[in-house]
Amino acid sequence: FLINVKGINYYDKKEGTILRESFWSRNIGNNPQNGDAYFIDILRMAKQYFPNSELVYNDYNEFIGYKCDRMCEIIKYIQSIEKRDGMKIIDGLGLQAHYRDFVPELGRNLTQEDIMETAVKFMKLGVSLYLCEYDFNKETNMDISPLVTTIA
């Protein structure tokens, strides 16, 4: 039985903020007692009411450097709260892995190095990694077999 609750609404590109503004951030806001971001309380409640569940922060385009870095920031923030409170509230990081040969955000083709650098950064976080989705959109004549081998 799988329940998907979307309470955390992706990171924000702006420095100094963790997540972009959303219905949840506007209506819940930060915890007035300790200043924690609103999604920390959502994770705590999920763990409380579904103690046997695994909570995974799932995001997309993780192979783009700044996105990977922001995802790492979110996990590190959650880990700092876990350490402070002595309570595990996140079990892993989900990768949507919507790969494509040409990446407009990078202005070039995706490389094995892009994928490996991302994997190394995530492994250093010490959380389980979940490949939640996987697809590869081929828009050019580029040979993608080295990328597919790297991912596998």
Side-chain angles (χ1 to χ4, degrees):
F1 183 62
L2 177 65
I3 297 176
N4 180 7
V5 179
K6 190 172 184 178
I8 300 178
N9 189 24
Y10 301 121
Y11 64 89
D12 194 332
K13 292 181 185 177
K14 295 183 288 188
E15 291 298 321
T17 60
I18 294 179
L19 300 176
R20 68 182 177 207
E21 187 176 322
S22 68
F23 169 84
W24 301 107
S25 65
R26 285 189 304 276
N27 289 288
I28 298 175
N30 290 347
N31 185 315
Q33 294 176 340
N34 57 22
D36 291 347
Y38 72 93
F39 66 87
I40 296 296
D41 289 333
I42 292 170
L43 293 171
R44 281 191 191 109
M45 285 186 281
K47 276 295 187 186
Q48 178 182 352
Y49 293 107
F50 303 98
N52 297 323
S53 66
E54 289 188 26
L55 298 179
V56 177
Y57 168 51
N58 185 26
D59 213 330
Y60 66 99
N61 289 344
E62 68 281 346
F63 54 86
I64 299 172
Y66 74 88
K67 289 186 156 200
C68 174
D69 293 342
R70 296 299 279 166
M71 291 169 70
C72 289
E73 287 177 37
I74 290 170
I75 294 294
K76 288 177 184 175
Y77 175 71
I78 293 169
Q79 290 172 328
S80 73
I81 302 297
E82 289 176 333
K83 184 177 180 180
R84 181 193 73 197
D85 295 351
M87 178 185 180
K88 186 89 171 146
I89 56 176
I90 194 89
D91 298 298
L93 177 60
L95 311 177
Q96 292 184 16
H98 301 302
Y99 295 122
R100 54 193 187 266
D101 49 5
F102 183 77
V103 182
E105 295 92 339
L106 299 176
R108 60 176 172 75
N109 287 341
L110 182 66
T111 66
Q112 289 175 294
E113 290 78 22
D114 295 324
I115 297 168
M116 293 306 293
E117 285 176 22
T118 299
V120 168
K121 285 181 181 181
F122 291 153
M123 286 187 283
K124 287 182 179 179
L125 295 171
V127 296
S128 296
L129 299 178
Y130 296 81
L131 189 57
C132 300
E133 300 176 36
Y134 174 75
D135 53 75
F136 201 105
N137 187 5
K138 187 166 169 23
E139 299 172 3
T140 69
N141 291 327
M142 176 184 160
D143 177 17
I144 63 169
S145 56
L147 295 175
V148 174
T149 304
T150 300
I151 297 163

